[in-house]
Amino acid sequence: MLDERKHLLDYLAQVMLVFGITLLIIAFICCLTGDDAKEHSTVFALGSAGIPINTIFQYLLSSACITLLRFLFFTDTIIRKMSIAIRTTLMLISVIILIGIFAYIFGWFPVDEPKCWIIFLICFGICFVISMFVSVFKEAIDNKQLAVGLKNLKEGQNGSTDRSK
């Protein structure tokens, strides 16, 4: 029971992380181009004045779906024998399809205009590259901490062995 609550809390924390980052990016874009884009997108219906409440809830739903996709592709619960590169590629394709579906349903951008898709893919690519660098940086820090911890553990074991002599 406690383990299930931990997994639920981890899932919710990840949803909120994706949601928060997404809203920050949309808010930044809104400030830059909101007035120009308000005729083309429900996301920018208020222009540079803000993001509509219904759009915020749509982004919360999309964050929950993206986090679920992450769980599906990056835990061994469902996919056991697939390389990280293939999992990442499938995840990216799935997220792009998901965003396309949301864009169509909620009018985030005109899905029949190639220019909108190009802009979306450029923004998505930039965000992906940034998140990849953050992940690699975090993994490097984690690995350094593990190496230091392992070194300390080995030194502690050697120290206790020396004392027994």
Side-chain angles (χ1 to χ4, degrees), residues 14-63:
Q14 187 66 36
V15 168
M16 295 313 292
L17 178 67
V18 172
F19 177 62
I21 291 170
T22 302
L23 278 187
L24 282 173
I25 292 168
I26 294 300
F28 179 72
I29 294 170
C30 190
C31 288
L32 294 177
T33 63
D35 291 329
D36 296 332
K38 71 179 174 181
E39 301 299 323
H40 305 286
S41 170
T42 59
V43 175
F44 306 109
L46 301 176
S48 60
I51 304 168
I53 295 295
N54 59 338
T55 301
I56 291 173
F57 285 116
Q58 294 163 10
Y59 275 101
L60 179 60
L61 178 61
S62 73
S63 298

Side-chain angles (χ1 to χ4, degrees), residues 145-158:
Q145 288 176 337
L146 286 172
V148 168
L150 183 60
K151 180 182 173 192
N152 291 340
L153 182 65
K154 285 181 178 180
E155 287 174 358
Q157 287 177 347
N158 290 338

Side-chain angles (χ1 to χ4, degrees), residues 32-143:
L32 294 177
T33 63
D35 291 329
D36 296 332
K38 71 179 174 181
E39 301 299 323
H40 305 286
S41 170
T42 59
V43 175
F44 306 109
L46 301 176
S48 60
I51 304 168
I53 295 295
N54 59 338
T55 301
I56 291 173
F57 285 116
Q58 294 163 10
Y59 275 101
L60 179 60
L61 178 61
S62 73
S63 298
C65 292
I66 289 169
T67 303
L68 181 62
L69 287 172
R70 182 176 174 258
F71 171 78
L72 293 175
F73 284 108
F74 292 105
T75 60
D76 291 334
T77 305
I78 298 188
I79 302 172
R80 294 181 192 272
K81 295 181 181 180
M82 192 179 291
S83 73
I84 292 294
I86 293 173
R87 289 181 191 213
T88 303
T89 302
L90 290 174
M91 168 83 179
L92 290 173
I93 291 169
S94 298
V95 169
I96 290 170
I97 291 169
L98 177 76
I99 298 301
I101 291 168
F102 274 65
Y104 177 77
I105 292 171
F106 299 121
W108 287 354
F109 61 84
V111 293
D112 57 343
E113 290 186 29
K115 178 182 173 184
C116 294
W117 277 103
I118 291 169
I119 292 168
F120 162 71
L121 290 172
I122 289 170
C123 291
F124 184 82
I126 291 169
C127 291
F128 173 72
V129 168
I130 290 169
S131 69
M132 184 183 69
F133 279 118
V134 168
S135 295
V136 168
F137 182 69
K138 182 187 179 302
E139 185 175 346
I141 289 172
D142 290 347
N143 287 342

